[in-house]
């Protein structure tokens, strides 16, 4: 019997292979990666004698810490021969009492009395190595500031009174997850860098009113170049001081939680800025201390440095970084940037990914895959209800599948195919050639065992060099014909399609929906951060909220529709658990209909033809309109009476199925959502 059980165990398929038989030829590779993560987990936890969370306590040990009897500072710098603390407290001189001594494993330490430094002092490390010396910002510092006169970045002694959290039991609402992607600095109307406090008081109430239950904040970790959008990180444990203090960030998160809004951090562990004075590059005379060697040292497309995920010290640094933001700032999770770049030796550049074999042909970075798997395991160990999202374009199977099933453990993956599809459709096809069957397939095309975050556009489409959906639809006419009563054909067409595209994308989600701030009301300007080429102007690195607030303009139509849409989705009980089922499509008519629980969604993408009494076979009963893109409240024409209750017509052929024909008048370029009424 034992032998039989053993044989049966051998043939038992790992979870993601069970779910997708097309993965069977690659099961050895899948099991191998899973075992790699298990082996590394055992190594890091001393065979399970400690937890992964215990291993990720590096931020409590390294860096500068105030204690009852003084200060303790530690740094990992195996190539250094001598290290001094230099700063305001010692005139920036190397003096003996501020000299670190070396411990085992390349760790350096110093213990100082209380009077040796004070809160607010500026400091750095003076690092010596064979053949050189330089000032460096500590790798584990939790506060970095920039001198307004010299523009030089330095670490700052930061030991204020601990922040007192008001919201202590918050748990994210993920059924479904409605994400408002945002950037603190460019969230204000004024031509300047916005602050944590301004975002908290001016923007959070807007997000709550609109019905979003999660914000995804970009550019939190310190980055020397503002225009990098936060993707060239220099100081991984320091929230950017250009937006305010760490305590002000904590207050922002605290108040978001009080409003029922989760806060996800856009975390960048895929690469680091090349800067040596501000970042980790050549930290102690060893350019490879944290990063890969040779041809893999620099990222060929991003002008940045690539972490060496094969080093336990690097894994320790990055895992500790994950735990730090969860523990210290109460973030509810992370959107991991650049995951495709991490997965492949090629960073995914020039790869077609045309079949499953492309994910298992030996060009994958198993160390990076192992790190991502352990990161997800750690994050959910520290905070079981945490949210992790992978920004990944290649389609790697198992990315958002549980670790126990052989997956990498992300909760969601970005549905990056959807915005690309809308761009291609708007750009390349005449309105008459838009095919509802193609649209429906694209927004529902996903792996059955992995949840996704659907979106029509993110910050990527709003940057200079690309175009938002509203600009692709209306272009320059937006500047001249977006005043009520002065709309031309391009404006009315754009308003109508903008609503329909968002409705179709948001209503078919199987995990969550994301919008970048301002896109909900068709923000008219692209994003261009201050740079030499634009005279260091903040004109396009802001959001013009006055446009959506001005009810003489059409922007509020789009904003009001988005609010109604988010409240419909967020306010529908068990929306996430209701299967999306196609009812009908006709590419000739350009009609699409599908159901989700007791909701019916009907679209007419035809640019010129309206349909009277168009029939859909649905569960028998009565239906009422709960959302209509053609409503005058949203800039439509009010061609239908939404107060009318719609009853299905009996058909003896479908009597046993309890179905009847729902006949609707659907105007051209419009969509309607109806809700089945409960019999009393």
């Amino acid at each position: 019997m034992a032998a039989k059980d053993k044989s049966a165990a051998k043939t038992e398929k790992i979870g993601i292979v069970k779910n997708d038989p097309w993965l069977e030829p690659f099961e050895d590779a899948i099991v191998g990666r899973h075992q790699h993560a298990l082996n590394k987990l055992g190594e890091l936890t001393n065979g399970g004698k400690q937890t992964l969370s215990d291993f990720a306590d590096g931020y409590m040990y390294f860096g500068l810490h105030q204690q009852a009897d003084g200060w303790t500072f530690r740094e990992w710098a195996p190539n250094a021969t001598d290290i001094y603390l230099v700063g305001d407290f010692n005139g920036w001189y190397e003096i003996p009492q501020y000299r670190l001594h070396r411990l085992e494993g390349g760790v350096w330490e110093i213990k100082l009395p209380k009077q040796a430094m004070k809160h607010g002092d500026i400091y750095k490390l003076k690092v010596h190595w064979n053949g050189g010396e330089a000032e460096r910002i500590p790798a584990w510092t939790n506060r970095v500031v920039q001198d307004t006169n010299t523009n030089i970045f330095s670490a700052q002694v930061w030991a204020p009174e601990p922040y007192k959290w008001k919201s202590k039991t918050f748990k994210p609402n993920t059924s479904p997850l409605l994400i408002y992607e945002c950037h603190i600095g460019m969230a204000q109307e004024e031509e300047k860098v916005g602050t944590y406090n301004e975002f908290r008081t001016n923007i959070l109430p807007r997000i709550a009113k609109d019905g979003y239950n999660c914000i995804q904040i970009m550019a939190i970790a310190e980055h020397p170049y503002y225009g990098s959008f936060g993707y060239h990180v220099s100081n991984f444990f320091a929230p950017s001081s250009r937006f305010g203090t760490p305590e002000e960030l904590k207050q922002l998160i605290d108040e978001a939680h009080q409003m029922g809004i989760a806060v996800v951090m856009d975390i960048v562990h895929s690469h680091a800025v090349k800067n040596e004075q501000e970042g980790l590059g050549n930290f102690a005379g060893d350019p490879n201390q944290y990063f890969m060697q040779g041809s893999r040292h620099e990222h060929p497309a991003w002008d940045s440095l690539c972490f060496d995920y094969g080093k336990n010290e690097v894994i320790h640094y990055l895992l500790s970084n994950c735990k730090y933001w969860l523990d210290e700032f109460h973030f509810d999770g992370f959107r991991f940037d650049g995951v495709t770049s991490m997965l492949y030796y090629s960073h995914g550049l020039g790869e077609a990914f045309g079949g499953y074999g492309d994910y298992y042909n030996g060009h994958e970075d198993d160390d990076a895959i192992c790190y991502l798997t352990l990161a997800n395991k750690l994050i959910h160990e520290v905070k079981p209800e945490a949210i992790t999202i992978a920004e990944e374009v290649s389609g790697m199977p198992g990315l958002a599948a549980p670790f126990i099933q052989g997956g990498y453990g992300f909760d969601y993956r970005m549905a990056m195919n959807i915005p690309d599809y809308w761009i291609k459709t708007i750009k390349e096809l005449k309105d008459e050639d838009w095919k509802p069957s193609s649209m429906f397939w694209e927004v529902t095309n996903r792996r059955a065992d992995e949840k996704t975050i659907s979106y029509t556009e993110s910050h990527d489409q709003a940057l200079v060099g690309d175009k938002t959906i509203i600009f692709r639809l209306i272009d320059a006419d937006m500047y001249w014909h977006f005043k009520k009563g002065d709309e031309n054909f391009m404006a009315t067409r754009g308003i109508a399609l903008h609503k329909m595209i968002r409705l179709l994308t948001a209503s078919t989600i199987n995990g969550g929906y994301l919008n970048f701030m301002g896109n909900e009301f068709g923000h008219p300007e692209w994003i261009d951060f201050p740079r030499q080429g634009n005279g260091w102007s903040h004109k396009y690195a802001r959001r013009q909220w006055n446009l959506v607030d001005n009810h003489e303009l059409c922007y509020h139509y789009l904003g009001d529709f988005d609010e109604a849409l988010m409240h419909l989705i967020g306010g529908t009980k068990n929306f996430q658990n209701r299967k999306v089922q196609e009812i009908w499509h006709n590419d000739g008519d350009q009609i699409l209909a599908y159901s989700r629980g007791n909701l019916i969604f009907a679209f007419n993408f035809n640019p010129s033809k309206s349909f009277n009494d168009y029939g859909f076979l649905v569960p028998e009963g009565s239906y009422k309109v709960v959302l209509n893109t053609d409503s005058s409240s949203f800039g439509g024409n009010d061609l239908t009476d939404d107060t009318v209750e719609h009853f299905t017509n009996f058909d003896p052929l479908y009597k046993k199925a309890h179905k009847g024909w729902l006949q609707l008048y659907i105007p051209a370029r419009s969509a309607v959502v109806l809700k089945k009424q409960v019999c009393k």
Side-chain angles (χ1 to χ4, degrees), residues 14-268:
I14 197 164
I16 64 171
V17 178
K18 281 185 189 177
N19 297 336
D20 185 354
W22 289 96
L23 288 173
E24 286 185 11
F26 314 105
E27 185 170 16
D28 286 348
I30 293 168
V31 172
R33 291 174 188 174
H34 184 72
Q35 191 60 49
H36 183 184
L38 287 174
N39 292 344
K40 182 58 70 173
L41 177 64
E43 181 184 345
L44 300 181
T45 60
N46 193 20
K49 293 180 181 178
Q50 62 176 359
T51 65
L52 194 58
S53 179
D54 293 332
F55 173 78
D57 280 343
Y59 63 95
M60 300 180 188
Y61 179 80
F62 289 103
L64 181 65
H65 298 277
Q66 187 179 35
Q67 297 168 330
D69 58 347
W71 304 86
T72 299
F73 177 87
R74 298 184 188 93
E75 188 70 55
W76 176 59
N79 199 54
T81 57
D82 224 347
I83 302 179
Y84 291 84
L85 283 175
V86 295
D88 292 343
F89 39 76
N90 59 16
W92 296 86
Y93 291 109
E94 299 177 44
I95 55 179
Q97 53 264 50
Y98 288 90
R99 184 184 187 186
L100 281 67
H101 65 277
R102 187 170 185 132
L103 306 178
E104 292 182 0
V107 176
W108 296 76
E109 180 186 74
I110 187 172
K111 294 186 177 182
L112 295 165
K114 286 184 179 180
Q115 64 273 20
M117 58 180 66
K118 66 182 186 301
H119 173 68
D121 281 346
I122 303 301
Y123 74 101
K124 287 187 178 182
L125 300 178
K126 185 62 177 291
V127 184
H128 296 257
W129 59 85
N130 288 328
E133 61 181 58
E135 289 185 349
R136 293 287 185 257
I137 295 175
W140 297 79
T141 186
N142 61 2
R143 175 74 171 168
V144 172
V145 293
Q146 185 178 22
D147 187 284
T148 54
N149 295 317
T150 64
N151 291 327
I152 293 174
F153 286 86
S154 301
Q156 186 174 36
V157 178
W158 200 252
E161 288 295 318
Y163 179 80
K164 295 180 180 178
W165 293 88
K166 297 181 179 66
S167 179
K168 299 177 181 178
T169 58
F170 174 80
K171 290 187 178 181
N173 173 16
T174 58
S175 185
L177 195 61
L178 303 174
I179 305 173
Y180 198 81
E181 184 184 39
C182 49
H183 183 284
I184 301 296
M186 59 168 287
Q188 304 304 313
E189 183 99 23
E190 295 80 8
E191 295 183 27
K192 61 166 191 150
V193 177
T195 66
Y196 297 124
N197 282 342
E198 289 171 328
F199 187 94
R200 175 175 54 81
T201 57
N202 299 334
I203 311 304
L204 267 183
R206 288 183 180 271
I207 297 169
K209 178 178 178 293
D210 285 349
Y212 291 88
N213 58 23
C214 178
I215 56 175
Q216 179 178 297
I217 311 182
M218 308 172 64
I220 290 295
E222 191 60 88
H223 45 290
Y225 179 45
Y226 184 49
S228 75
F229 228 144
Y231 290 122
H232 275 194
V233 176
S234 51
N235 314 106
F236 286 79
F237 290 82
S240 181
S241 61
R242 58 170 58 85
F243 308 135
T245 68
E247 286 63 46
E248 289 165 347
L249 173 58
K250 291 176 183 179
Q251 187 179 6
L252 187 165
I253 295 170
D254 200 7
E255 291 198 14
H257 287 169
Q258 292 173 65
M259 295 179 180
I261 298 172
V263 186
V264 169
M265 176 180 171
D266 198 346
I267 200 166
V268 185

Side-chain angles (χ1 to χ4, degrees), residues 422-483:
W422 289 124
I423 290 170
K424 185 177 178 65
T425 298
I426 297 169
K427 185 178 179 180
E428 298 180 4
L429 298 180
K430 296 184 297 183
D431 290 6
E432 292 81 2
D433 295 331
W434 288 30
K435 297 187 184 303
S437 61
S438 173
M439 299 176 198
F440 186 73
W441 185 87
E442 200 69 43
V443 296
T444 58
N445 176 29
R446 52 225 175 189
R447 300 186 63 79
D449 57 349
E450 299 187 40
K451 291 182 180 179
T452 58
I453 302 296
S454 299
Y455 61 109
T456 60
E457 51 189 343
S458 68
H459 68 274
D460 287 330
Q461 288 74 40
L463 286 165
V464 167
D466 207 338
K467 282 187 177 182
T468 59
I469 285 178
I470 201 70
F471 253 130
R472 289 186 185 279
L473 291 170
I474 303 177
D475 214 351
D477 284 313
M478 198 167 187
Y479 293 114
W480 312 109
H481 295 284
F482 236 56
K483 185 174 181 180

